[in-house]
Amino acid sequence: SIQQDDRDNMISAVIHLANKDYASLVDDFMKLKILPEDSDRAAIIPLMDKALSPYVKGGGAKKYEEELKKMYGMEEGSIQSQVGGFQAMTQDALTVMNDIPFSIPPYFAILGRAIVTLEGVALTGDETYGIIMESYPFIARKLLKEDRPEIQRALQEVLYSGEDNASGALKFTRLIALLNNAAGSVEKKDGGAFVDLDAVPEDGLEFADGLKYLLSDEAESLRNLLEDEVDNLVDIIMRQVTRKGLNEAVLALTPPRPPSLPFFGDILPPSPKLDEVPLPLILPGKDGSASTPSLAVLTMKDFVDSLAPKLSQDDEIYAIGIAEAVDEVFGPEIGAFVRGDSILSTNTVQIVLQSVQSGVFGRLGDSAVVPQIVGAVETLLNTFGGSSNGNMENALNVLTELSNEERARFDIIVEELVQRSLTRATDRLSVIARIA
């Protein structure tokens, strides 16, 4: 039988082959003992491109031959092009045989014969069949489910790598695309030969199906990988919303500057900056205990700077990516909330109310008093013309479609995130000097 490590390396190899990542494929072949560890990577990678790219396009041996002739310029029909192309192909073949000491392990040879046989059967029904592309949804499901180190590394490469991702942050388009790939919907590039990791299929998963998949046993590996990522995402959103909310509140509550007096000019003092006025604030105890609150005197600006530190440049770029993904999935209203725009609005309150009503905060909202407060405030909003957010309401209705097991898992995840957020906030506030 094939060892588990070799199977994991094969999964990684299929991913890199399907994504045309030949540099990483060389590493996979070294782990599989097909190539020695001291191989000349610079010589191997271009030869891999020539040898494997035509195969990934599918169509079997006949199509492979056509692609090779096209690659070496042998399809023009002239004697000169045929001879020149043949010489170039022969030179590459000699380089492989003489300069690249590859070997085929016995188990790999047996597996290869089985794959060729199965591919031959499939080609009788579909002349364009390509086993790499057809197997990719199965590979994607393996990535999402298995939590072994090699699989986790391969999953990280898919979700975090990329030439335009210098910050190393999670690429949300890739996450959505991978969920669609696992469901059998794969967007392709380079004439349909390779998987496009950054493209979300137009006919892909609905949000409800994606959430249910994320909460299923099939996505255990993905949940483990995203645990800290989602915690960081929540922190960035809350910091952005808190800081922009303070600015909006200060602008809304600051009275206008007194008018200038004739002959005297601006003799009256300007309006105070409300965020710079020291206020007594009740904070958790320094030990984090809510049962022993303490008193501190500080400005709202200092309080917010401690509770929600300013976002770094990488955090701001990450926040933009989050908001764009939210725009696409939930609509512009929810995207505006995530950006921290118009925090002091009936729309924002509606979003929060609908979240509490749906139980999105897990079992933390089970108190009998919560529904009464929600109902009273919602009545007030309706009186003043506030209307419910359709996109948010549709998204939250998905929670009612979850099974008991899925909902229990969702609640546990939310409670864990809330607890982490509270712990983080308490730690940040602990540095503030108390007077009592």
Side-chain angles (χ1 to χ4, degrees):
S1 63
I2 302 175
Q3 298 296 319
Q4 185 64 63
D5 287 348
D6 290 330
R7 280 186 278 175
D8 290 345
N9 288 325
M10 286 181 191
I11 289 174
S12 180
V14 172
I15 293 167
H16 294 141
L17 180 56
N19 299 327
K20 206 175 182 180
D21 184 359
Y22 292 122
S24 297
L25 187 60
V26 170
D27 294 329
D28 296 324
F29 279 14
M30 290 178 181
K31 293 174 183 177
L32 289 167
K33 309 301 182 186
I34 296 174
L35 290 172
E37 294 185 0
D38 59 350
S39 297
D40 184 354
R41 301 171 64 89
I44 292 173
I45 291 173
L47 292 174
M48 271 189 167
D49 188 3
K50 291 180 179 179
L52 297 177
S53 293
Y55 175 70
V56 176
K57 293 182 178 181
K62 183 179 180 180
K63 185 67 175 178
Y64 185 81
E65 181 183 353
E66 292 175 1
E67 291 295 329
L68 276 182
K69 287 182 177 180
K70 187 187 300 183
M71 183 182 299
Y72 285 100
M74 299 168 64
E75 61 175 354
E76 298 176 6
S78 67
I79 297 296
Q80 186 176 359
S81 66
Q82 294 283 344
V83 172
F86 183 76
Q87 287 177 340
M89 186 168 61
T90 301
Q91 184 59 51
D92 286 342
L94 289 173
T95 300
V96 170
M97 289 187 293
N98 297 329
D99 300 340
I100 303 175
F102 71 92
S103 61
I104 304 298
Y107 75 87
F108 202 87
I110 296 172
L111 184 62
R113 283 197 293 268
I115 290 175
V116 169
T117 301
L118 291 173
E119 187 177 36
V121 173
L123 286 167
T124 60
D126 180 3
E127 293 182 353
T128 63
Y129 180 84
I131 196 167
I132 299 298
M133 289 296 103
E134 294 298 329
S135 65
Y136 195 78
F138 168 79
I139 297 298
R141 289 192 290 272
K142 279 286 187 183
L143 281 183
L144 295 175
K145 183 177 182 180
E146 307 292 344
D147 60 355
R148 293 184 299 278
E150 188 63 37
I151 299 296
Q152 285 279 297
R153 281 195 294 272
L155 180 57
Q156 286 178 329
E157 286 182 14
V158 171
L159 296 180
Y160 291 86
S161 65
E163 296 177 359
D164 60 341
N165 196 27
S167 65
L170 172 70
K171 302 188 74 172
F172 288 96
T173 52
R174 288 197 173 189
L175 173 58
I176 298 171
L178 184 62
L179 290 171
N180 280 278
N181 297 161
S185 183
V186 180
E187 196 73 12
K188 300 176 183 178
K189 63 181 179 181
D190 291 356
F194 297 93
V195 174
D196 190 343
L197 288 176
D198 298 297
V200 179
E202 293 183 2
D203 58 344
L205 284 173
E206 296 291 334
F207 172 70
D209 297 326
L211 179 61
K212 289 175 74 70
Y213 192 91
L214 272 174
L215 295 172
S216 71
D217 293 336
E218 300 300 313
E220 182 178 358
S221 177
L222 180 61
R223 286 199 304 274
N224 291 338
L225 178 64
L226 294 182
E227 183 176 337
D228 292 335
E229 189 71 44
V230 174
D231 183 39
N232 182 48
L233 180 152
V234 170
D235 180 46
I236 288 176
I237 291 176
M238 293 308 299
R239 284 158 58 195
Q240 179 165 261
V241 168
T242 301
R243 296 185 69 86
K244 287 191 175 182
L246 173 66
N247 293 335
E248 193 171 333
V250 169
L251 289 174
L253 297 176
T254 299
R257 182 185 177 90
S260 300
L261 298 177
F263 307 109
F264 294 99
D266 294 328
I267 62 170
L268 298 176
S271 301
K273 296 181 179 181
L274 298 183
D275 59 335
E276 296 182 1
V277 177
L279 299 170
L281 297 177
I282 297 177
L283 304 177
K286 276 209 160 189
D287 60 353
S289 173
S291 60
T292 57
S294 56
L295 184 66
V297 176
L298 70 162
T299 65
M300 287 304 299
K301 182 179 183 303
D302 291 337
F303 173 75
V304 169
D305 284 342
S306 297
L307 181 64
K310 185 178 179 180
L311 272 63
S312 67
Q313 185 177 13
D314 285 344
D315 287 342
E316 290 179 347
I317 294 172
Y318 190 37
I320 292 172
I322 295 170
E324 289 176 350
V326 171
D327 273 341
E328 185 174 338
V329 177
F330 299 112
E333 296 92 347
I334 315 301
F337 173 77
V338 170
R339 290 186 185 90
D341 298 337
S342 303
I343 294 299
L344 302 180
S345 67
T346 57
N347 178 59
T348 298
V349 179
Q350 285 284 0
I351 291 172
V352 175
L353 288 176
Q354 290 172 3
S355 299
V356 174
Q357 279 184 314
S358 69
V360 75
F361 297 112
R363 291 185 288 273
L364 300 176
D366 282 347
S367 170
V369 138
V370 173
Q372 297 174 18
I373 296 175
V374 170
V377 178
E378 190 168 40
T379 301
L380 247 145
L381 280 171
N382 289 333
T383 301
F384 286 100
S387 59
S388 63
N389 185 293
N391 287 324
M392 186 66 173
E393 189 172 1
N394 292 336
L396 293 173
N397 283 339
V398 171
L399 297 179
T400 64
E401 301 174 11
L402 299 177
S403 67
N404 292 335
E405 182 180 355
E406 291 165 345
R407 185 53 198 256
R409 183 170 280 162
F410 179 83
D411 289 344
I412 290 171
I413 292 171
V414 171
E415 288 181 15
E416 173 65 22
L417 289 172
V418 170
Q419 186 57 55
R420 288 190 182 195
S421 298
L422 291 174
T423 301
R424 184 165 44 241
T426 302
D427 290 343
R428 288 172 177 169
L429 294 176
S430 66
V431 301
I432 296 176
R434 268 70 162 182
I435 61 173

